[in-house]
């Protein structure tokens, strides 16, 4: 039993590093603007986003402009997510007929999700409609994580551009993070979770009769469900919290079995472990990335040992 307790975290870290290494090298190519094996599929989508939003892919920003773009993006995100919650009763995909979220809770949730804090002071299935969950919370799980990764990449560029006044383009970094990194990983993980029994539906709550021999009429139980697997995937990959049911992956509809629990733990560590590898490839010295990764693994091992 003791051997198994020790083996589990070792195996978890080993598998995560094994997957993070090629991902980190891939991410370095993405942020350098180099061609990757996913470009034939995703490059048209990237170009379409630039065209629709008026982004000049070749234009770069200094740190002041980069910071302003980040702050502007975050403020707009808070406003849109707040409005979505307040108007959810008028919007589609609300089969349970949920009322608008209260002003204070809507503002708290909006700020929380935009800042990647994801602190939830509500029961998700009783408060947020499917539309709010998908178009609001799940989208912010993508965007807040992408914004954080973009800032990390900008910092790495600042190490490699000592004589340059620019550190990249926030809008380009944000777009590439979503299109080339978070979206493909989330699609794959969502399909895996669904295959293992995680719930993914737009139908309303299910009902079931409860067996009660002492009752003249069997009580009816309402079982909440919804687009769970898709939100669970980006929740883990973006190191977000809470989730559809606000149970931190402890709900069987989000995490049906030991295999999905293992997959979700790997997903939670995958991108953080990949970033040091990307850093090493970016600066042209992989040893620096490995050194940072080793420090992270040591800290993670100590924390796991303490638990």
């Amino acid at each position: 039993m003791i051997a198994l307790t020790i083996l589990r975290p070792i195996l978890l870290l080993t598998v995560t590093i094994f997957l993070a290494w090629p991902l980190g090298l891939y991410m370095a190519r993405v942020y350098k603007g180099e061609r990757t094996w996913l470009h034939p599929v995703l490059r048209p989508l990237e170009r379409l986003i630039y065209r629709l939003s008026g982004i000049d892919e070749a234009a770069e920003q200094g740190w002041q402009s980069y910071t302003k773009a980040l702050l502007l993006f975050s403020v707009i995100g808070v406003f849109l997510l707040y409005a979505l919650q307040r108007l959810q009763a008028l919007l589609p995909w609300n089969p349970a007929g949920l009322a608008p979220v209260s002003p204070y809770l809507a503002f708290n949730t909006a700020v929380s999700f935009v800042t990647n804090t994801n602190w939830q002071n509500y029961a998700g299935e009783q408060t947020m409609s499917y539309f709010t969950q998908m178009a609001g919370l799940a989208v912010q799980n993508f965007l807040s994580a992408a914004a954080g990764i973009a800032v990390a990449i900008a910092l790495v560029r600042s190490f490699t551009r000592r004589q340059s006044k620019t550190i990249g383009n926030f809008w380009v970094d944000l777009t590439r993070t979503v299109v080339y990194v978070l979206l493909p990983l989330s699609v794959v993980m969502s399909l895996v979770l669904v295959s293992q029994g995680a719930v993914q539906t737009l139908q309303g709550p299910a009902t079931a009769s409860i067996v009660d021999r002492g009752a003249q009429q069997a009580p009816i139980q309402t079982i909440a469900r919804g687009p769970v697997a898709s939100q669970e995937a980006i929740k883990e990959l973006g190191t977000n919290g809470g989730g559809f049911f606000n149970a931190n992956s402890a709900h069987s509809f989000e995490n049906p079995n030991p295999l999905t629990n293992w997959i979700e733990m790997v997903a939670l560590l995958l991108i953080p472990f990949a970033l040091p590898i990307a850093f090493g490839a970016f600066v042209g010295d992989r040893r620096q990335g490995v050194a940072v990764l080793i420090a992270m693994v040591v800290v993670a091992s100590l924390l796991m040992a303490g638990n």
Side-chain angles (χ1 to χ4, degrees):
M1 189 68 179
I2 296 177
L4 184 60
T5 303
I6 297 174
L7 181 61
R8 283 175 178 171
I10 293 176
L11 185 59
L12 173 64
L13 294 174
T14 302
V15 171
T16 305
I17 293 171
F18 177 79
L19 296 174
W21 189 274
L23 177 61
L25 298 179
Y26 165 80
M27 290 174 68
R29 294 184 63 86
V30 167
Y31 295 115
K32 287 181 179 180
E34 299 175 358
R35 185 177 178 83
T36 70
W37 62 279
L38 284 178
H39 263 63
V41 177
L42 298 178
R43 177 61 175 166
L45 175 59
E46 181 189 8
R47 287 176 174 170
L48 177 63
I49 293 173
Y50 295 151
R51 189 178 300 115
L52 293 177
S53 56
I55 297 172
D56 182 0
E57 182 180 2
E60 293 216 348
Q61 300 169 313
W63 72 267
Q64 298 95 332
S65 298
Y66 201 101
T67 302
K68 289 178 183 178
L70 170 64
L71 294 176
L72 175 63
F73 179 74
S74 299
V75 170
I76 293 175
V78 170
F79 173 79
L80 292 177
L81 184 52
Y82 175 84
L84 193 61
Q85 295 173 81
R86 296 289 294 142
L87 297 173
Q88 73 173 10
L90 305 176
L91 298 172
W93 291 328
N94 185 12
L98 297 176
V101 180
S102 66
Y104 294 117
L105 180 58
F107 180 75
N108 179 81
T109 304
V111 173
S112 177
F113 272 77
V114 170
T115 59
N116 202 242
T117 309
N118 306 103
W119 187 75
Q120 296 175 258
N121 187 29
Y122 57 86
E125 71 275 19
Q126 298 177 2
T127 308
M128 304 293 179
S129 69
Y130 293 173
F131 190 81
T132 302
Q133 293 272 18
M134 292 187 296
L137 306 185
V139 166
Q140 279 303 325
N141 281 349
F142 277 95
L143 297 181
S144 62
I149 295 172
V151 171
I153 296 301
L155 178 63
V156 171
R157 286 200 193 98
S158 68
F159 295 151
T160 62
R161 298 181 178 184
R162 296 180 180 179
Q163 304 301 322
S164 176
K165 295 183 178 180
T166 61
I167 57 173
N169 186 309
F170 171 76
W171 307 110
V172 173
D173 290 340
L174 182 80
T175 301
R176 288 177 177 170
T177 301
V178 173
V179 172
Y180 289 103
V181 181
L182 297 178
L183 188 59
L185 290 173
S186 296
V187 170
V188 172
M189 186 173 173
S190 296
L191 293 175
V192 172
L193 291 177
V194 170
S195 73
Q196 295 300 308
V199 173
Q200 182 72 17
T201 181
L202 291 177
Q203 297 181 6
T207 57
S209 298
I210 301 175
V211 177
D212 187 350
R213 295 179 180 179
Q216 295 181 352
Q217 184 176 0
I220 301 298
Q221 179 183 13
T222 301
I223 305 173
R225 55 183 179 174
V228 178
S230 56
Q231 186 167 336
E232 183 70 13
I234 186 55
K235 184 189 81 174
E236 305 297 352
L237 290 165
T239 63
N240 301 289
F244 191 94
F245 297 100
N246 191 15
N248 282 312
S249 302
H251 198 290
S252 59
F253 286 0
E254 295 180 342
N255 190 7
N257 57 51
L259 176 61
T260 59
N261 191 63
W262 178 267
I263 292 171
E264 291 179 19
M265 287 191 294
V266 171
L268 192 64
L269 296 172
L270 183 60
I271 293 178
F273 276 30
L275 283 171
I277 306 302
F279 167 71
F282 230 108
V283 300
D285 186 354
R286 294 186 182 180
R287 293 174 300 176
Q288 296 189 35
V290 170
V292 176
L293 179 59
I294 290 174
M296 293 173 63
V297 170
V298 169
V299 173
S301 300
L302 293 174
L303 291 174
M304 290 179 181
N307 293 323

